[in-house]
Amino acid sequence: EKAIGIPFSRIAVIFEYPSKREALEALVYPLVVEDIMKWKAGQKSDVVFIESAIALDKPIFNGLYDKVWLVTAPIEQRLQRNRHTAERAVTQRLPDPSEADATITNDSSLESLYIQIDKLI
């Protein structure tokens, strides 16, 4: 709260004030990287997944992943699924599919989503 100048109860304002968002990112992202690295080191599988809406945009995350699977959905569905989509969309660019090793279209049922994931695995 001291570092970004807002109480945690008002954390959503980071989407309105880039300087506050950047200050929070500078504090949190190094901890996220450290946590991911520790988590990966403790896995027994050769294949693990992390989810991130921003990994491609933030250089600090480079090297944490070997492959990128982009999951897309039409904006109308994204808005129906999460009421905060519109306010957050201004701070997150839509990745270019050419940046991904695979693209999954999540515009139907969970079964359809799982089928696409299973095929990629």
Side-chain angles (χ1 to χ4, degrees), residues 75-108:
I75 187 65
E76 298 81 18
Q77 282 187 319
R78 292 175 33 227
L79 289 167
Q80 288 175 350
R81 292 172 180 166
N82 184 336
R83 64 187 175 92
H84 298 290
T85 294
E87 64 196 48
R88 294 178 181 169
V90 298
T91 63
Q92 297 173 346
R93 73 169 177 88
L94 290 176
D96 183 331
S98 70
E99 296 176 290
D101 298 289
T103 299
I104 299 168
T105 304
N106 183 13
D107 64 353
S108 185

Side-chain angles (χ1 to χ4, degrees), residues 13-55:
V13 302
I14 66 165
F15 296 106
E16 298 172 35
Y17 299 98
S19 63
K20 293 196 181 293
R21 187 181 70 252
E22 290 164 6
L24 181 63
E25 290 173 355
L27 290 170
V28 173
Y29 288 174
L31 299 173
V32 172
V33 168
E34 181 180 328
D35 189 53
I36 290 170
M37 292 179 73
K38 285 180 185 175
W39 175 80
K40 282 175 60 175
Q43 300 305 303
K44 293 181 171 55
S45 175
D46 291 334
V47 178
V48 295
F49 293 85
I50 59 172
E51 183 280 332
S52 176
I54 56 159

